[in-house]
Coordinates of all heavy atoms in Angstrom, one line a residue:
M647 N 0.8 -1.2 0.0 CA 0.0 0.0 0.0 C 0.9 1.3 0.0 O 1.9 1.3 0.7 CB -0.8 0.0 1.2 CG -2.1 -0.8 1.2 SD -3.1 -0.3 2.7 CE -4.6 -1.2 2.2
T648 N 0.4 2.2 -0.7 CA 1.1 3.5 -0.7 C 0.8 4.2 0.5 O -0.2 4.0 1.2 CB 0.7 4.3 -1.9 OG1 -0.6 4.6 -1.9 CG2 1.0 3.6 -3.3
A649 N 1.6 5.2 0.9 CA 1.3 6.0 2.1 C 0.0 6.8 2.0 O -0.8 6.8 2.9 CB 2.4 7.0 2.3
K650 N -0.4 7.2 0.8 CA -1.6 8.0 0.6 C -2.8 7.1 0.8 O -3.8 7.4 1.5 CB -1.6 8.5 -0.9 CG -3.0 9.1 -1.3 CD -3.3 10.4 -0.8 CE -4.5 11.0 -1.5 NZ -5.5 11.4 -0.6
R651 N -2.7 5.9 0.2 CA -3.8 4.8 0.2 C -3.9 4.4 1.7 O -5.1 4.2 2.2 CB -3.5 3.7 -0.7 CG -4.7 2.8 -0.8 CD -4.5 1.8 -1.9 NE -5.7 1.0 -2.0 CZ -5.7 -0.2 -2.5 NH1 -4.6 -0.6 -3.1 NH2 -6.8 -0.9 -2.5
L652 N -2.8 4.2 2.4 CA -2.8 3.8 3.8 C -3.5 4.9 4.7 O -4.3 4.6 5.5 CB -1.4 3.5 4.3 CG -1.3 2.9 5.7 CD1 -2.1 1.6 5.8 CD2 0.2 2.7 6.0
A653 N -3.1 6.1 4.3 CA -3.7 7.3 5.1 C -5.2 7.3 4.9 O -6.0 7.5 5.8 CB -3.1 8.6 4.7
D654 N -5.7 7.1 3.6 CA -7.1 7.1 3.3 C -7.8 6.0 4.0 O -8.9 6.1 4.5 CB -7.3 7.0 1.8 CG -7.0 8.2 1.0 OD1 -6.8 9.3 1.7 OD2 -6.7 8.2 -0.2
F655 N -7.2 4.8 3.9 CA -7.8 3.7 4.6 C -7.9 3.8 6.1 O -9.0 3.6 6.7 CB -6.9 2.4 4.4 CG -7.4 1.2 5.1 CD1 -8.5 0.5 4.5 CD2 -6.8 0.7 6.2 CE1 -9.0 -0.6 5.2 CE2 -7.2 -0.5 6.8 CZ -8.4 -1.1 6.3
Y656 N -6.9 4.4 6.8 CA -6.9 4.7 8.2 C -8.0 5.8 8.5 O -8.8 5.6 9.5 CB -5.5 5.3 8.6 CG -5.5 5.7 10.1 CD1 -5.3 4.7 11.0 CD2 -5.5 7.0 10.4 CE1 -5.3 5.0 12.4 CE2 -5.5 7.4 11.7 CZ -5.3 6.4 12.7 OH -5.3 6.8 14.0
E657 N -8.1 6.8 7.6 CA -9.1 7.9 7.8 C -10.5 7.3 7.8 O -11.3 7.6 8.6 CB -8.9 9.0 6.8 CG -9.8 10.2 7.1 CD -9.4 11.4 6.2 OE1 -8.3 11.7 6.0 OE2 -10.4 11.8 5.5
Q658 N -10.8 6.5 6.7 CA -12.1 5.8 6.6 C -12.4 4.9 7.8 O -13.5 4.9 8.2 CB -12.2 5.1 5.3 CG -12.2 6.0 4.1 CD -12.1 5.3 2.8 OE1 -11.9 4.0 2.8 NE2 -12.2 6.0 1.6
G659 N -11.4 4.2 8.2 CA -11.6 3.2 9.3 C -11.9 4.0 10.6 O -12.7 3.6 11.3
M660 N -11.3 5.1 10.8 CA -11.5 5.9 12.0 C -12.9 6.5 11.9 O -13.6 6.6 13.0 CB -10.4 7.0 12.2 CG -9.0 6.5 12.6 SD -9.1 5.4 14.1 CE -9.6 6.6 15.2
E661 N -13.3 7.0 10.8 CA -14.6 7.5 10.6 C -15.7 6.4 11.0 O -16.7 6.8 11.7 CB -14.9 8.0 9.2 CG -14.2 9.3 8.8 CD -14.4 9.7 7.4 OE1 -15.3 9.1 6.7 OE2 -13.7 10.6 7.0
V662 N -15.5 5.2 10.6 CA -16.4 4.1 10.9 C -16.4 3.9 12.4 O -17.5 3.7 13.1 CB -16.1 2.9 10.1 CG1 -16.9 1.7 10.6 CG2 -16.3 3.0 8.7
V663 N -15.3 3.9 13.0 CA -15.1 3.7 14.5 C -15.8 4.7 15.2 O -16.6 4.5 16.1 CB -13.7 3.5 14.8 CG1 -13.5 3.6 16.4 CG2 -13.0 2.3 14.3
V664 N -15.6 6.0 14.8 CA -16.3 7.1 15.5 C -17.7 7.1 15.3 O -18.5 7.3 16.3 CB -15.6 8.4 15.0 CG1 -16.4 9.7 15.5 CG2 -14.2 8.6 15.4
E665 N -18.2 6.8 14.1 CA -19.6 6.8 13.9 C -20.3 5.7 14.6 O -21.4 5.9 15.2 CB -19.9 6.6 12.3 CG -19.7 7.8 11.5 CD -19.8 7.5 10.0 OE1 -20.4 6.4 9.7 OE2 -19.4 8.3 9.2
T666 N -19.6 4.5 14.8 CA -20.2 3.4 15.6 C -20.2 3.8 17.0 O -21.2 3.5 17.7 CB -19.3 2.2 15.3 OG1 -19.3 1.9 13.9 CG2 -19.9 1.0 16.1
A667 N -19.2 4.5 17.5 CA -19.2 4.9 18.9 C -20.3 5.9 19.2 O -21.0 5.8 20.2 CB -17.9 5.4 19.3
I668 N -20.5 6.8 18.3 CA -21.5 7.8 18.5 C -22.9 7.2 18.5 O -23.7 7.5 19.3 CB -21.4 8.9 17.5 CG1 -20.2 9.7 17.7 CG2 -22.6 9.8 17.4 CD1 -19.8 10.7 16.6
K669 N -23.2 6.2 17.6 CA -24.4 5.5 17.5 C -24.7 4.7 18.7 O -25.8 4.8 19.3 CB -24.4 4.6 16.2 CG -25.8 4.0 16.0 CD -25.9 3.2 14.8 CE -27.2 2.5 14.5 NZ -28.0 2.2 15.6
R670 N -23.7 4.0 19.2 CA -23.8 3.3 20.4 C -24.2 4.1 21.6 O -25.0 3.8 22.4 CB -22.6 2.4 20.7 CG -22.4 1.2 19.8 CD -21.3 0.5 20.3 NE -21.1 -0.7 19.3 CZ -20.0 -1.4 19.2 NH1 -18.9 -1.1 19.9 NH2 -19.9 -2.4 18.3
R671 N -23.5 5.3 21.7 CA -23.7 6.2 22.8 C -25.1 6.7 22.7 O -25.9 6.9 23.7 CB -22.7 7.3 22.8 CG -22.9 8.2 24.0 CD -21.7 9.2 24.0 NE -21.9 10.1 25.2 CZ -21.1 10.1 26.2 NH1 -20.0 9.3 26.2 NH2 -21.3 10.9 27.2
A672 N -25.6 7.1 21.5 CA -26.9 7.7 21.2 C -27.9 6.6 21.6 O -29.0 6.9 22.2 CB -27.1 8.1 19.8
D673 N -27.7 5.3 21.2 CA -28.7 4.3 21.5 C -28.8 4.0 23.1 O -29.8 3.9 23.6 CB -28.3 3.0 20.9 CG -28.4 3.0 19.3 OD1 -29.2 3.9 18.9 OD2 -27.9 2.2 18.7
Y674 N -27.6 4.2 23.7 CA -27.6 4.0 25.2 C -28.4 5.1 25.9 O -29.1 4.8 26.8 CB -26.2 4.0 25.7 CG -26.0 3.8 27.1 CD1 -26.1 2.5 27.7 CD2 -25.8 4.9 28.0 CE1 -26.0 2.3 29.1 CE2 -25.7 4.7 29.4 CZ -25.8 3.4 29.9 OH -25.7 3.3 31.2
Y675 N -28.3 6.3 25.4 CA -29.1 7.4 26.1 C -30.3 7.7 25.5 O -31.0 8.7 25.9 CB -28.1 8.7 26.1 CG -26.9 8.5 27.0 CD1 -25.7 8.4 26.5 CD2 -27.1 8.6 28.4 CE1 -24.6 8.3 27.3 CE2 -26.1 8.5 29.2 CZ -24.8 8.4 28.7 OH -23.7 8.2 29.5
E676 N -30.8 7.0 24.4 CA -32.0 7.2 23.8 C -33.2 7.1 24.8 O -33.2 6.1 25.6 CB -32.2 6.3 22.6 CG -33.4 6.6 21.8 CD -33.5 5.7 20.5 OE1 -32.4 5.3 20.1 OE2 -34.6 5.4 20.1
I677 N -34.1 7.9 24.7 CA -35.3 7.9 25.5 C -36.4 7.4 24.6 O -36.8 8.0 23.7 CB -35.6 9.3 26.1 CG1 -34.5 9.7 27.0 CG2 -36.9 9.2 26.9 CD1 -34.7 11.1 27.5
D678 N -37.0 6.3 25.1 CA -38.2 5.8 24.3 C -39.5 6.4 24.9 O -39.5 7.0 26.0 CB -38.3 4.2 24.3 CG -38.3 3.7 25.8 OD1 -38.4 4.5 26.7 OD2 -38.4 2.4 25.9
D679 N -40.6 6.2 24.2 CA -41.8 6.8 24.6 C -42.6 5.9 25.6 O -43.6 6.4 26.2 CB -42.7 7.0 23.4 CG -42.1 8.2 22.5 OD1 -41.4 9.0 23.1 OD2 -42.4 8.2 21.3
I680 N -42.3 4.7 25.8 CA -43.0 3.8 26.6 C -42.2 3.6 27.9 O -41.1 3.1 27.9 CB -43.2 2.4 26.0 CG1 -44.1 2.7 24.6 CG2 -44.0 1.5 26.9 CD1 -44.2 1.4 23.8
G681 N -42.8 4.0 29.0 CA -42.2 3.7 30.3 C -40.9 4.5 30.5 O -40.0 4.1 31.0
T682 N -40.8 5.7 30.0 CA -39.6 6.5 30.1 C -39.3 6.9 31.5 O -40.1 7.4 32.2 CB -39.7 7.8 29.2 OG1 -40.0 7.3 27.9 CG2 -38.4 8.6 29.2
V683 N -38.0 6.7 31.9 CA -37.6 7.1 33.2 C -36.4 8.1 33.0 O -35.5 7.9 32.2 CB -37.1 5.9 34.0 CG1 -36.5 6.3 35.3 CG2 -38.2 4.9 34.3
L684 N -36.6 9.3 33.7 CA -35.6 10.3 33.5 C -34.7 10.5 34.7 O -35.2 10.3 35.9 CB -36.3 11.6 33.2 CG -37.3 11.7 32.0 CD1 -38.0 13.0 32.0 CD2 -36.5 11.4 30.7
T685 N -33.4 10.8 34.5 CA -32.6 11.2 35.6 C -33.0 12.6 36.1 O -33.8 13.3 35.5 CB -31.1 11.3 35.2 OG1 -31.0 12.3 34.2 CG2 -30.7 9.9 34.7
R686 N -32.4 13.0 37.2 CA -32.7 14.4 37.7 C -32.4 15.4 36.7 O -33.1 16.4 36.5 CB -32.0 14.5 39.0 CG -32.2 15.7 39.8 CD -31.4 15.6 41.1 NE -31.3 16.9 41.7 CZ -30.1 17.6 41.9 NH1 -29.0 17.0 41.7 NH2 -30.2 18.8 42.5
K687 N -31.2 15.2 36.1 CA -30.8 16.2 35.1 C -31.7 16.2 33.9 O -32.0 17.3 33.4 CB -29.4 15.8 34.7 CG -28.7 16.9 33.8 CD -27.3 16.4 33.6 CE -26.5 17.5 32.7 NZ -25.1 17.2 32.5
Q688 N -32.1 15.1 33.4 CA -33.0 15.0 32.2 C -34.4 15.6 32.6 O -35.0 16.3 31.7 CB -33.2 13.6 31.8 CG -31.9 13.0 31.2 CD -32.1 11.5 30.9 OE1 -32.7 10.8 31.7 NE2 -31.4 10.9 29.9
A689 N -34.9 15.3 33.8 CA -36.2 15.9 34.2 C -36.1 17.4 34.3 O -37.0 18.1 33.8 CB -36.6 15.3 35.5
A690 N -35.0 17.9 34.8 CA -34.8 19.4 34.8 C -34.8 20.0 33.4 O -35.3 21.0 33.1 CB -33.5 19.7 35.6
A691 N -34.1 19.3 32.5 CA -34.0 19.8 31.1 C -35.3 19.7 30.4 O -35.8 20.6 29.7 CB -33.0 18.9 30.3
Y692 N -36.1 18.6 30.8 CA -37.4 18.4 30.2 C -38.4 19.6 30.7 O -39.2 20.1 29.9 CB -38.0 17.1 30.5 CG -39.4 16.7 30.1 CD1 -39.5 16.6 28.7 CD2 -40.4 16.5 30.9 CE1 -40.8 16.2 28.2 CE2 -41.7 16.2 30.4 CZ -41.9 16.0 29.0 OH -43.1 15.7 28.5
L693 N -38.3 19.9 31.9 CA -39.1 21.0 32.5 C -38.5 22.3 32.3 O -39.2 23.4 32.6 CB -39.4 20.7 34.0 CG -40.1 19.5 34.3 CD1 -40.1 19.2 35.8 CD2 -41.6 19.7 33.9
R694 N -37.3 22.4 31.9 CA -36.5 23.7 31.7 C -36.5 24.4 33.0 O -36.7 25.6 33.1 CB -37.2 24.5 30.6 CG -37.1 23.8 29.2 CD -37.5 24.6 28.1 NE -37.4 23.8 26.9 CZ -37.7 24.2 25.7 NH1 -38.2 25.5 25.6 NH2 -37.6 23.4 24.7
L695 N -36.1 23.7 34.0 CA -35.9 24.2 35.3 C -34.5 23.8 35.8 O -33.9 22.9 35.3 CB -36.9 23.7 36.4 CG -38.3 24.1 36.0 CD1 -39.3 23.3 37.0 CD2 -38.6 25.5 36.2
C696 N -34.0 24.3 36.9 CA -32.8 23.9 37.5 C -33.0 22.6 38.3 O -34.2 22.4 38.7 CB -32.1 25.0 38.4 SG -32.9 25.3 39.9
Q697 N -32.0 21.8 38.6 CA -32.2 20.6 39.2 C -32.7 20.7 40.6 O -33.5 19.9 41.1 CB -30.8 19.8 39.3 CG -30.4 19.4 37.9 CD -29.1 18.7 37.8 OE1 -28.7 18.0 38.8 NE2 -28.4 18.8 36.7
N698 N -32.3 21.8 41.4 CA -32.7 22.0 42.7 C -34.2 22.2 42.8 O -34.9 21.8 43.7 CB -32.0 23.1 43.4 CG -30.5 22.7 43.6 OD1 -30.2 21.6 43.7 ND2 -29.6 23.7 43.7
K699 N -34.7 23.0 41.8 CA -36.2 23.2 41.7 C -37.0 22.0 41.5 O -38.0 21.8 42.0 CB -36.4 24.3 40.6 CG -37.9 24.7 40.5 CD -38.3 25.5 41.8 CE -39.7 26.0 41.6 NZ -40.2 26.5 42.9
V700 N -36.4 21.1 40.6 CA -37.1 19.9 40.3 C -37.2 19.0 41.6 O -38.3 18.4 41.8 CB -36.4 19.1 39.2 CG1 -36.9 17.7 39.1 CG2 -36.4 19.8 37.9
D701 N -36.2 19.1 42.4 CA -36.2 18.3 43.7 C -37.4 18.8 44.6 O -38.0 18.0 45.3 CB -35.0 18.4 44.4 CG -33.8 17.6 43.7 OD1 -34.1 16.6 42.9 OD2 -32.6 17.8 44.0
S702 N -37.6 20.1 44.5 CA -38.6 20.7 45.5 C -40.1 20.6 45.0 O -41.0 20.8 45.8 CB -38.4 22.1 45.7 OG -38.5 22.9 44.5
L703 N -40.3 20.1 43.7 CA -41.6 20.0 43.2 C -42.3 18.7 43.7 O -41.6 17.7 44.0 CB -41.6 19.9 41.7 CG -41.1 21.2 41.0 CD1 -40.9 20.9 39.5 CD2 -42.0 22.4 41.2
P704 N -43.6 18.7 43.8 CA -44.3 17.5 44.4 C -44.5 16.5 43.3 O -45.6 15.9 43.2 CB -45.6 18.1 44.9 CG -45.8 19.3 44.0 CD -44.5 19.9 43.7
I705 N -43.5 16.2 42.5 CA -43.6 15.2 41.4 C -43.2 13.8 42.1 O -42.1 13.8 42.8 CB -42.7 15.5 40.2 CG1 -43.2 16.9 39.7 CG2 -42.8 14.4 39.2 CD1 -42.2 17.3 38.6
P706 N -43.9 12.7 41.9 CA -43.5 11.5 42.4 C -42.0 11.1 41.9 O -41.7 11.2 40.8 CB -44.4 10.5 41.9 CG -45.6 11.2 41.5 CD -45.1 12.6 41.2
K707 N -41.2 10.7 42.9 CA -39.8 10.3 42.6 C -39.6 8.8 42.9 O -40.3 8.3 43.7 CB -38.9 11.1 43.4 CG -39.0 12.6 43.2 CD -38.3 13.3 44.4 CE -38.3 14.8 44.3 NZ -39.6 15.4 44.3
I708 N -38.7 8.2 42.1 CA -38.3 6.8 42.3 C -36.9 6.9 42.9 O -35.9 7.5 42.2 CB -38.4 6.0 41.1 CG1 -39.7 6.1 40.5 CG2 -37.8 4.6 41.3 CD1 -39.8 5.5 39.0
R709 N -36.7 6.4 44.0 CA -35.3 6.4 44.6 C -34.7 5.0 44.5 O -35.3 4.0 44.9 CB -35.3 6.8 46.1 CG -35.9 8.2 46.3 CD -35.6 8.8 47.7 NE -36.2 10.0 47.9 CZ -35.7 11.2 47.4 NH1 -34.6 11.3 46.8 NH2 -36.4 12.3 47.7
I710 N -33.5 5.0 43.9 CA -32.7 3.8 43.8 C -31.4 4.0 44.4 O -30.5 4.6 43.8 CB -32.5 3.4 42.3 CG1 -33.9 3.3 41.6 CG2 -31.8 2.1 42.2 CD1 -33.9 3.2 40.1
G711 N -31.2 3.6 45.7 CA -30.0 4.0 46.4 C -30.0 5.5 46.6 O -31.0 6.1 47.1
K712 N -28.9 6.1 46.1 CA -28.8 7.6 46.2 C -29.3 8.3 44.9 O -29.5 9.5 44.9 CB -27.3 8.0 46.4 CG -26.7 7.5 47.8 CD -25.3 8.1 47.9 CE -24.8 7.6 49.2 NZ -23.4 8.1 49.4
S713 N -29.6 7.4 43.9 CA -30.1 8.0 42.7 C -31.6 8.3 42.7 O -32.4 7.6 43.5 CB -29.9 7.0 41.5 OG -28.5 6.7 41.4
V714 N -32.0 9.3 42.0 CA -33.5 9.7 41.9 C -33.8 9.6 40.5 O -33.1 10.1 39.6 CB -33.6 11.1 42.5 CG1 -35.1 11.6 42.3 CG2 -33.2 11.2 43.9
R715 N -35.0 9.1 40.2 CA -35.5 9.0 38.8 C -36.9 9.5 38.8 O -37.7 9.5 39.8 CB -35.5 7.5 38.4 CG -34.1 6.9 38.3 CD -33.3 7.6 37.2 NE -32.0 6.9 37.1 CZ -30.9 7.3 37.5 NH1 -30.9 8.4 38.3 NH2 -29.7 6.7 37.3
F716 N -37.3 10.0 37.7 CA -38.7 10.4 37.4 C -39.2 9.8 36.2 O -38.6 9.7 35.3 CB -38.7 12.0 37.2 CG -38.1 12.8 38.3 CD1 -36.7 13.1 38.4 CD2 -38.9 13.3 39.3 CE1 -36.2 13.9 39.4 CE2 -38.3 14.1 40.3 CZ -37.0 14.4 40.3
R717 N -40.5 9.4 36.4 CA -41.2 8.8 35.2 C -41.8 10.0 34.4 O -42.4 10.9 35.0 CB -42.3 7.9 35.6 CG -41.8 6.6 36.2 CD -42.8 5.5 36.4 NE -44.2 6.1 36.8 CZ -45.3 5.5 36.6 NH1 -45.3 4.3 36.2 NH2 -46.4 6.1 36.9
R718 N -41.6 10.0 33.1 CA -42.2 11.0 32.3 C -43.7 11.2 32.4 O -44.2 12.3 32.4 CB -41.8 10.8 30.8 CG -42.2 12.0 30.0 CD -41.8 12.0 28.6 NE -40.3 12.3 28.6 CZ -39.6 12.4 27.4 NH1 -40.2 12.1 26.3 NH2 -38.4 12.8 27.4
V719 N -44.4 10.0 32.5 CA -45.8 10.0 32.7 C -46.2 10.8 33.9 O -47.2 11.6 33.9 CB -46.3 8.6 32.8 CG1 -47.7 8.5 33.1 CG2 -46.0 7.8 31.5
D720 N -45.4 10.6 35.0 CA -45.8 11.4 36.3 C -45.5 12.9 36.0 O -46.3 13.7 36.6 CB -44.8 10.9 37.4 CG -45.2 9.5 37.9 OD1 -46.3 9.0 37.6 OD2 -44.3 8.8 38.4
I721 N -44.5 13.3 35.4 CA -44.2 14.6 35.1 C -45.3 15.2 34.3 O -45.9 16.3 34.6 CB -42.8 14.8 34.4 CG1 -41.7 14.4 35.4 CG2 -42.6 16.3 34.0 CD1 -40.4 14.5 34.7
D722 N -45.7 14.5 33.2 CA -46.8 15.0 32.4 C -48.1 15.2 33.1 O -48.8 16.1 32.8 CB -46.9 14.1 31.1 CG -45.7 14.2 30.2 OD1 -45.0 15.2 30.2 OD2 -45.5 13.2 29.4
S723 N -48.4 14.2 33.9 CA -49.7 14.3 34.7 C -49.7 15.4 35.7 O -50.6 16.1 35.8 CB -50.0 13.0 35.4 OG -49.1 12.6 36.4
W724 N -48.5 15.6 36.3 CA -48.4 16.7 37.2 C -48.5 18.1 36.5 O -49.2 19.0 36.9 CB -47.0 16.7 37.9 CG -46.8 17.8 38.9 CD1 -47.3 18.0 40.1 CD2 -46.0 19.0 38.6 NE1 -46.8 19.2 40.6 CE2 -46.1 19.9 39.7 CE3 -45.3 19.5 37.4 CZ2 -45.4 21.1 39.7 CZ3 -44.6 20.7 37.5 CH2 -44.7 21.5 38.6
L725 N -47.9 18.2 35.3 CA -48.1 19.4 34.5 C -49.5 19.6 34.1 O -50.0 20.7 34.1 CB -47.2 19.3 33.2 CG -45.7 19.5 33.4 CD1 -45.0 19.2 32.1 CD2 -45.4 20.9 33.8
A726 N -50.2 18.5 33.8 CA -51.7 18.7 33.3 C -52.5 19.2 34.6 O -53.3 20.0 34.4 CB -52.2 17.4 32.9
Q727 N -52.2 18.7 35.8 CA -52.9 19.1 37.0 C -52.6 20.6 37.3 O -53.5 21.3 37.6 CB -52.5 18.3 38.2 CG -52.9 16.8 38.1 CD -52.4 16.0 39.3 OE1 -51.5 16.5 40.0 NE2 -52.8 14.8 39.3
E728 N -51.4 21.0 37.1 CA -51.0 22.4 37.4 C -51.7 23.3 36.3 O -52.1 24.4 36.7 CB -49.5 22.6 37.3 CG -48.8 21.9 38.5 CD -49.2 22.5 39.9 OE1 -49.2 23.7 40.0 OE2 -49.6 21.7 40.7
A729 N -51.7 22.8 35.1 CA -52.4 23.6 34.0 C -53.9 23.8 34.3 O -54.5 24.9 34.1 CB -52.1 23.1 32.7
A730 N -54.5 22.7 34.9 CA -55.9 22.8 35.2 C -56.2 23.8 36.3 O -57.2 24.4 36.3 CB -56.4 21.3 35.5
K731 N -55.2 23.9 37.2 CA -55.4 24.8 38.4 C -55.4 26.2 37.9 O -56.1 27.1 38.3 CB -54.3 24.6 39.4 CG -54.4 23.4 40.2 CD -53.2 23.3 41.2 CE -53.2 21.9 41.9 NZ -52.0 21.8 42.7
V732 N -54.5 26.5 36.9 CA -54.4 27.8 36.4 C -55.6 28.2 35.6 O -56.1 29.3 35.7 CB -53.1 27.9 35.4 CG1 -53.1 29.3 34.8 CG2 -51.9 27.8 36.3
V733 N -56.2 27.2 34.8 CA -57.4 27.6 34.0 C -58.6 27.8 34.9 O -59.4 28.6 34.6 CB -57.7 26.4 33.1 CG1 -59.0 26.5 32.4 CG2 -56.6 26.2 32.0
V734 N -58.7 27.0 36.0 CA -59.9 27.1 36.9 C -59.8 28.4 37.7 O -60.9 29.1 37.9 CB -59.8 25.9 37.9 CG1 -60.9 26.1 39.0 CG2 -60.1 24.6 37.2
K735 N -58.7 28.9 38.1 CA -58.6 30.1 38.8 C -59.0 31.3 37.9 O -59.6 32.0 37.7 CB -57.1 30.4 39.3 CG -56.8 29.5 40.4 CD -55.4 29.7 40.8 CE -54.9 28.8 41.9 NZ -53.6 29.0 42.4

């Protein structure tokens, strides 16, 4: 192999490795629509609030050791209840 061809082969191979790593990481962190469980950080991003504010909200939490998780269904139902309170007032 010539140096140019070897460099092209190496570059293409690295692109495949990087693309595969990115896809695996995306698949690992992908959120599905059925039974979605969010971390504290993801719940804060979903609600567009800081993490400390999310902790103080009366949304049901799932505690696993020191970790805290939120079900998206619980967040959505809490939001619907809060929206109903605003409309009623």
Side-chain angles (χ1 to χ4, degrees):
M647 278 190 171
T648 65
K650 169 79 170 124
R651 190 165 179 205
L652 185 59
D654 290 342
F655 179 74
Y656 178 78
E657 189 175 304
Q658 289 172 355
M660 288 306 295
E661 286 176 11
V662 170
V663 169
V664 170
E665 287 175 12
T666 304
I668 290 171
K669 184 177 182 333
R670 284 186 185 160
R671 186 176 180 113
D673 290 344
Y674 179 79
Y675 288 108
E676 184 176 332
I677 298 174
D678 59 0
D679 291 333
I680 301 171
T682 301
V683 178
L684 304 174
T685 64
R686 184 173 165 243
K687 186 175 184 178
Q688 290 169 330
Y692 182 65
L693 293 169
R694 296 185 182 181
L695 298 170
C696 70
Q697 293 180 28
N698 292 334
K699 183 65 177 173
V700 171
D701 288 339
S702 67
L703 296 174
I705 301 171
K707 299 167 181 61
I708 301 167
R709 297 194 187 277
I710 305 169
K712 292 183 180 180
S713 300
V714 177
R715 300 290 185 261
F716 299 87
R717 291 186 328 156
R718 183 175 282 181
V719 174
D720 293 338
I721 294 172
D722 291 338
S723 65
W724 177 80
L725 284 171
Q727 290 171 358
E728 291 300 307
K731 288 180 187 176
V732 172
V733 172
V734 171
K735 291 181 181 179

